[in-house]
């Protein structure tokens, strides 16, 4: 099923004409309204009028997460606050989050792309969709929620956690679709096994999983342990949230909703555009977003693009599953975590040395975060009570910034191996 045939199956020539028209309008708006973009364009020696083809976009400078940080919170906004209806956020590279404001039109567009996404994944009005993405500042909860309602499905807004209650609702209400991170779907499977509940006897048939990287092996594991077909969905806060791309029933890549998001793949080192089929960094430009359009946003996600028509009938380009990142961002329980964030917290705590090791593991499908932190000689030779107080302080600081639980292990001075070159700060033991 296709939610919006006009745009999802538009002949590519027509689509490209539409994209160029929208791109020009978007560039003219940001040039007029946002000093950051005006300066960047001027430095690159261009004006919106210099862009006369889609290929010309490579002349425009990139936008990065750092630019969001430098313009925090509203430096990239193009409308008065009175027109902003909602704000979401996700973690940035240090303490301050990335802020995503939406106008009423932005929310309509987001609901539209989420309705397309859910329809592509196989959701219909007859489904009962249990939404176990986090509600709140995270875009997952409300993004799926409104998309599900738009399609006409029955939406159960369970949000994350409370696994036993999730299972009870699946059984009692007759949930057919679960929307959650891939790792959470395995937690559900395991918890069901523990209480002797056979998920195969429920009505569950479909899972829409994203917000963190997952491999084909993990998909096989999910599909073996739950009675669902697991579909991949991709998106990011800076661009819209979930709803940028999704798999169709053919499952041969994720179709990008190109009438709203213009994709490019570039060489992460040189920034030069790469041809279709070559792996590189995904760069996205929003074509219709009002409150906070982004021009050439470097996602840091590694993909390649395939423009060949798909058997499903969609003409929209397909991206491969995300196979990695060009930076050190970790997704821990669906939350973006940067080692630099942790470092900047540690550096503010007295008695702690700037030597640390971040250990990420997956214990029974749940991501586990432990940080080893060296303490100063003075603290180390102090009383136990003081060490405990320091450990609690570090734990509280890290947890309140990241919003996820962490174990802190204080270790002796000079016990963390020193690197001669680049320090190794992260040990990721998860096998995705
Ligand atoms: O994770 C939005 C989302 C919510 C997507 C629910 C899908 C489902 P952020 O928290 O801003 O937004 O994180 C965005 O997560 O740049 C990728 O690195 C990663 N990511 C998101 N979806 C996938 C996926 C949401 N399907 C960052 N596969 C992105 C791999 C993904 N990585």
């Amino acid at each position: 099923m296709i939610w919006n045939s006009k745009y999802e199956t538009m002949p590519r020539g027509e689509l490209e004409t539409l994209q160029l028209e929208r791109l020009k309008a978007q560039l003219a708006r940001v040039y007029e309204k946002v000093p950051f973009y005006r300066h960047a364009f001027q430095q690159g020696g261009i004006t919106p009028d210099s862009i006369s083809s889609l290929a010309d976009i490579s002349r425009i400078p990139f936008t990065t997460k750092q630019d969001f940080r430098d313009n925090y919170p509203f430096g990239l906004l193009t409308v008065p606050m009175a027109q902003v209806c909602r704000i979401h956020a996700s973690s940035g590279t240090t303490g301050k989050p990335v802020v995503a404001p939406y106008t009423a039109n932005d929310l309509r567009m987001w609901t539209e792309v989420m309705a397309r996404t859910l329809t592509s994944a196989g959701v219909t009005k007859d489904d009962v969709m249990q939404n176990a993405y986090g509600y709140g500042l995270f875009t997952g909860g409300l993004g799926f929620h409104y998309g599900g309602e738009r399609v006409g499905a029955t939406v159960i807004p369970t949000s994350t956690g409370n696994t036993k209650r999730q299972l009870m609702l699946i059984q009692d209400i007759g949930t057919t679709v679960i929307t959650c991170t891939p790792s959470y779907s395995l937690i559900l499977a395991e918890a069901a096994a523990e209480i002797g509940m056979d998920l195969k006897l429920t009505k569950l048939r479909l899972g829409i999983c994203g917000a963190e990287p997952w491999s084909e092996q993990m998909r096989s594991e999910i599909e073996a342990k739950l009675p669902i077909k697991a579909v991949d969905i991709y998106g990011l806060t800076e661009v819209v949230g979930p709803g940028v791309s999704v798999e169709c029933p053919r499952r041969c890549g994720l179709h990008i909703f190109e009438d709203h998001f213009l994709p490019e793949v570039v060489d992460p080192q040189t920034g030069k555009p790469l041809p279709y089929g070559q792996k590189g960094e995904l760069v996205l430009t929003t074509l219709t977003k009002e409150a906070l359009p982004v021009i050439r946003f470097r996602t840091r996600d590694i993909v390649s693009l395939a423009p060949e028509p798909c058997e499903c009938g969609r003409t929209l380009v397909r991206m491969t599953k995300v196979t990695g990142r060009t930076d050190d961002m970790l997704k821990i329980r669906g939350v973006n975590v940067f080692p630099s964030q942790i470092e900047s917290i540690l550096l503010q705590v007295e008695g702690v040395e700037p030597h640390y090791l971040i250990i990420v593991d997956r214990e029974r499908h749940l991501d586990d975060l432990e940080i080893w932190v060296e303490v100063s000689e003075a603290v180390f030779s102090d009383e136990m009570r003081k060490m405990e107080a320091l450990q609690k302080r570090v734990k509280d600081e890290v947890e309140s910034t990241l919003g996820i639980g962490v174990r802190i292990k204080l270790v002796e001075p000079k016990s963390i191996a020193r690197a001669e070159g680049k320090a190794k700060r992260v040990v990721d033991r998860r096998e995705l």
Side-chain angles (χ1 to χ4, degrees):
M1 289 278 283
I2 295 183
W3 178 258
N4 190 331
S5 300
K6 176 172 173 202
Y7 292 103
E8 294 180 74
T9 64
M10 194 175 249
R12 287 205 66 82
E14 233 177 275
L15 177 66
E16 283 165 16
T17 308
L18 176 74
Q19 286 178 315
L20 182 60
E21 193 184 295
R22 289 182 170 178
L23 175 67
K24 284 179 163 180
Q26 190 82 291
L27 293 175
R29 264 190 77 229
V30 298
Y31 190 83
E32 186 201 330
K33 312 257 184 199
V34 188
F36 163 79
Y37 283 116
R38 193 159 51 244
H39 293 151
F41 289 13
Q42 282 165 350
Q43 274 185 343
I46 51 167
T47 64
D49 292 336
S50 7
I51 305 303
S52 55
S53 73
L54 288 176
D56 282 345
I57 197 171
S58 63
R59 298 172 54 201
I60 302 174
F62 294 116
T63 308
T64 62
K65 245 190 193 336
Q66 178 67 33
D67 295 322
F68 271 77
R69 189 178 154 205
D70 295 344
N71 291 284
Y72 175 84
F74 296 124
L76 301 176
L77 192 66
T78 67
V79 296
M81 267 312 257
Q83 283 178 35
V84 173
C85 300
R86 199 194 301 161
I87 291 173
H88 283 280
S90 80
S91 36
T93 45
T94 53
K96 297 289 186 194
V98 165
V99 174
Y102 302 75
T103 63
N105 279 337
D106 291 336
L107 292 178
R108 271 191 284 276
M109 178 274 278
W110 190 16
T111 300
E112 155 75 18
V113 290
M114 278 310 293
R116 293 183 193 180
T117 293
L118 296 175
T119 306
S120 176
V123 179
T124 72
K125 63 179 174 32
D126 298 321
D127 277 303
V128 177
M129 184 181 111
Q130 188 162 321
N131 186 15
Y133 283 109
Y135 280 67
L137 283 177
F138 181 53
T139 53
L142 290 181
F144 273 79
H145 185 99
Y146 288 108
E149 287 189 350
R150 180 80 182 90
V151 167
T154 307
V155 180
I156 317 179
T158 48
S159 195
T160 45
N162 210 335
T163 307
K164 285 215 173 103
R165 192 180 61 184
Q166 303 266 7
L167 291 172
M168 181 184 78
L169 292 171
I170 289 174
Q171 192 155 47
D172 297 350
I173 300 192
T175 300
T176 55
V177 181
I178 181 86
T179 56
C180 62
T181 57
S183 49
Y184 193 66
S185 71
L186 287 173
I187 293 175
L188 280 173
E190 196 167 78
E194 264 167 26
I195 58 168
M197 173 179 169
D198 186 353
L199 284 170
K200 296 205 170 68
L201 299 178
T202 67
K203 293 191 175 149
L204 213 52
R205 64 174 192 87
L206 180 65
I208 309 176
C209 300
E212 65 184 12
W214 56 308
S215 58
E216 284 302 333
Q217 289 91 305
M218 183 145 168
R219 171 155 32 209
S220 308
E221 196 181 335
I222 293 171
E223 294 188 342
K225 291 191 169 154
L226 294 116
I228 61 174
K229 197 176 117 189
V231 176
D232 195 4
I233 167 172
Y234 169 85
L236 59 165
T237 312
E238 291 87 346
V239 171
V240 75
V244 173
S245 65
V246 68
E247 287 176 322
C248 67
R250 300 291 177 277
R251 300 213 285 197
C252 51
L254 292 81
H255 290 281
I256 300 178
F257 296 115
E258 286 175 281
D259 50 326
H260 295 290
F261 315 111
L262 182 68
E264 301 167 76
V265 168
V266 303
D267 179 319
Q269 254 84 50
T270 64
K272 293 269 178 310
L274 292 175
Y276 283 136
Q278 272 197 34
K279 252 190 195 186
E281 180 179 342
L282 178 67
V283 171
L284 292 167
T285 297
T286 61
L287 295 175
T288 53
K289 211 145 156 253
E290 281 183 348
L292 203 156
V294 268
I295 309 297
R296 301 198 87 207
F297 181 69
R298 293 191 70 150
T299 65
R300 305 287 173 194
D301 293 318
I302 306 281
V303 302
S304 68
L305 297 179
E308 296 80 23
C310 180
E311 279 175 39
C312 74
R314 288 177 184 78
T315 49
L316 303 167
V317 83
R318 284 165 286 145
M319 60 179 240
T320 51
K321 257 177 153 338
V322 174
T323 53
R325 288 194 49 96
T326 66
D327 64 6
D328 53 4
M329 184 180 95
L330 300 158
K331 270 268 171 170
I332 302 179
R333 273 169 258 155
V335 174
N336 303 348
V337 175
F338 291 90
S340 57
Q341 264 178 308
I342 294 177
E343 180 169 303
S344 63
I345 300 165
L346 297 178
L347 290 177
Q348 286 163 28
V349 181
E350 208 182 317
V352 158
E353 296 288 310
H355 299 290
Y356 60 93
L357 195 60
I358 298 167
I359 299 169
V360 195
D361 212 337
R362 197 162 268 183
E363 292 267 330
R364 305 179 69 196
H365 310 301
L366 190 66
D367 291 338
D368 178 76
L369 173 63
E370 180 170 272
I371 307 174
W372 294 8
V373 191
E374 269 185 28
V375 293
S376 62
E377 290 283 358
V379 172
F380 196 69
S381 50
D382 227 320
E383 317 154 33
M384 196 60 183
R385 205 170 37 84
K386 286 203 180 141
M387 282 277 276
E388 278 169 9
L390 181 64
Q391 184 182 28
K392 182 165 183 315
R393 168 124 194 264
V394 176
K395 181 176 161 70
D396 290 347
E397 294 278 339
V398 175
E399 288 185 346
S400 74
T401 306
L402 300 184
I404 51 174
V406 62
R407 267 177 295 115
I408 302 291
K409 190 166 144 188
L410 297 184
V411 297
E412 273 180 58
K414 303 203 176 58
S415 61
I416 292 177
R418 304 291 192 259
E420 289 189 351
K422 217 168 141 57
K424 188 167 168 53
R425 304 284 196 206
V426 181
V427 178
D428 195 342
R429 298 197 183 120
R430 295 173 295 182
E431 281 170 18
L432 299 178

